[in-house]
Amino acid sequence: MAKYIDGKAVAAEIRAQLALEVEKTVRLGVTPGLAVVIVGDDPASRTYVNNKKKACAQAGIYSEEYALPASASQKEIMDLVAKLNAKKDINGILVQSPLPDGLDEKAVVEAIDPEKDVDAFHPSNVGRIMIGNYHFLPCTPAGVIELLRHEKIEIEGKNCVVIGRSNIVGKPMAMLLLHHNGTVTICHSRTKNLKEVCRQADILVAAVGKPKFVTADMVKPGAVVIDVGMDRDENGKLCGDVDFANVEKTASYITPVPGGVGPMTIAMLLKNTVAAAKRQNGMTL
């Protein structure tokens, strides 16, 4: 049976360390600040925003929420982002996605000052990640790397397969594994012989957004399986992209859902916010 990688416990360690770091910056006159913008009333987005605000408070990070109605115009959102870019007490800006239909999310992301882009979605930060000269890392992929590091799972020289090519997880995940000297394959909806490709993986990262998509016959015995999915099964129960009950019998390590990658995403957001505050105030990183 696979060993569970406890993302909740690892995230708690990181958040405790960050709280100590924030105490130091506060003593030096800098309180890291995060602005979270939510447009509309999507229940999942509301839950995420509440969790982020709570995590900020626990770490001593100042946070502001800007809740706009679903009817908000593109101009209203762009004006708000411009205002937050100029606010000295705000070091990080996060616009919760998805935005309501009819709004240009790409334009909103590109309007955020790259120095305050703690999601690392701005094209400037994406480019920095590509060449390995980055200030921030996308929160979910960075969380995955932290989990592997915590468990002392070597990436270098390993066959790493990422299922999913989204700009938020799949692509940056592949780049981070590559930066750690993994040999990386990205799989997607057009991949031929997907099962065979996945069975070559020493480290398999599932980020496809389909419940229980990864089955035991897709996993090499002894592989490390990281489940980034956050789905609902046929009974409406929270699950991941991996058929956990069966895959855990084949893998050596596996992340559960919930309690695996999810808590790490928020921990990395806090880490990016603190890093942004330090950069903007000329403090040693």
Side-chain angles (χ1 to χ4, degrees), residues 39 69-75 77 99-106 108:
V39 184
S71 59
S73 68
Q74 185 81 23
K75 184 178 185 305
I77 300 169
L99 293 178
D101 290 343
L103 295 172
D104 186 346
E105 193 164 325
K106 179 170 167 281
V108 172

Side-chain angles (χ1 to χ4, degrees), residues 195-207:
K195 187 185 296 184
E196 287 75 10
V197 175
C198 291
R199 278 186 64 86
Q200 300 301 312
D202 301 307
I203 299 173
L204 180 63
V205 181

Side-chain angles (χ1 to χ4, degrees), residues 23-263:
E23 281 181 16
K24 292 178 186 175
T25 67
V26 170
R27 283 200 297 270
L28 294 171
V30 174
T31 300
L34 175 70
V36 181
V37 178
I38 180 170
V39 184
D41 52 6
D42 178 74
S45 291
R46 170 44 63 193
T47 298
Y48 292 144
V49 167
N50 289 346
N51 288 342
K52 288 166 185 172
K53 285 166 57 184
K54 184 179 175 184
C56 282
Q58 290 171 346
I61 294 171
Y62 168 69
S63 69
E64 295 180 348
E65 179 190 312
Y66 294 84
L68 302 180
S71 59
S73 68
Q74 185 81 23
K75 184 178 185 305
E76 285 176 280
I77 300 169
M78 300 293 269
D79 287 348
L80 174 57
V81 169
K83 172 186 162 188
L84 295 174
N85 281 340
K87 282 197 76 174
K88 296 294 184 188
D89 59 342
I90 292 299
N91 308 110
I93 301 169
L94 184 152
V95 178
Q96 184 65 45
S97 63
L99 293 178
D101 290 343
L103 295 172
D104 186 346
E105 193 164 325
K106 179 170 167 281
V108 172
V109 169
E110 292 183 5
I112 297 171
D113 180 346
E115 292 288 335
K116 295 189 177 188
D117 168 39
V118 287
D119 263 334
F121 292 163
H122 190 284
S124 172
N125 287 325
V126 173
R128 284 186 166 278
I129 292 159
M130 178 67 73
I131 63 175
N133 178 26
Y134 43 76
H135 303 320
F136 311 117
L137 292 174
C139 301
T140 300
V144 171
I145 296 295
E146 284 294 330
L147 288 178
L148 295 173
R149 181 181 293 133
H150 185 272
E151 296 296 330
K152 297 181 171 56
I153 295 168
E154 188 66 54
I155 300 171
E156 184 169 335
K158 297 289 180 64
N159 284 331
C160 305
V161 173
V162 179
I163 312 175
R165 54 177 167 178
S166 72
N167 292 331
I168 294 172
V169 180
K171 291 177 186 174
M173 186 74 257
M175 288 311 305
L176 295 195
L177 291 166
L178 186 61
H179 288 323
H180 285 80
N181 299 316
T183 300
V184 184
T185 302
I186 305 175
C187 295
H188 45 79
S189 59
R190 302 292 192 275
T191 300
K192 294 179 179 178
N193 303 318
L194 177 64
K195 187 185 296 184
E196 287 75 10
V197 175
C198 291
R199 278 186 64 86
Q200 300 301 312
D202 301 307
I203 299 173
L204 180 63
V205 181
V208 71
K210 294 183 178 180
K212 302 181 183 179
F213 180 81
V214 176
T215 51
D217 60 349
M218 296 170 68
V219 178
K220 179 169 81 171
V224 176
V225 179
I226 305 293
D227 191 348
V228 181
M230 193 68 74
D231 312 305
R232 296 280 174 183
D233 65 15
E234 61 277 7
N235 301 313
K237 186 180 176 184
L238 192 64
C239 69
D241 289 351
V242 175
D243 180 8
F244 186 88
N246 292 307
V247 171
E248 69 168 335
K249 298 169 187 172
T250 301
S252 58
Y253 289 83
I254 192 168
T255 57
V257 177
V261 175

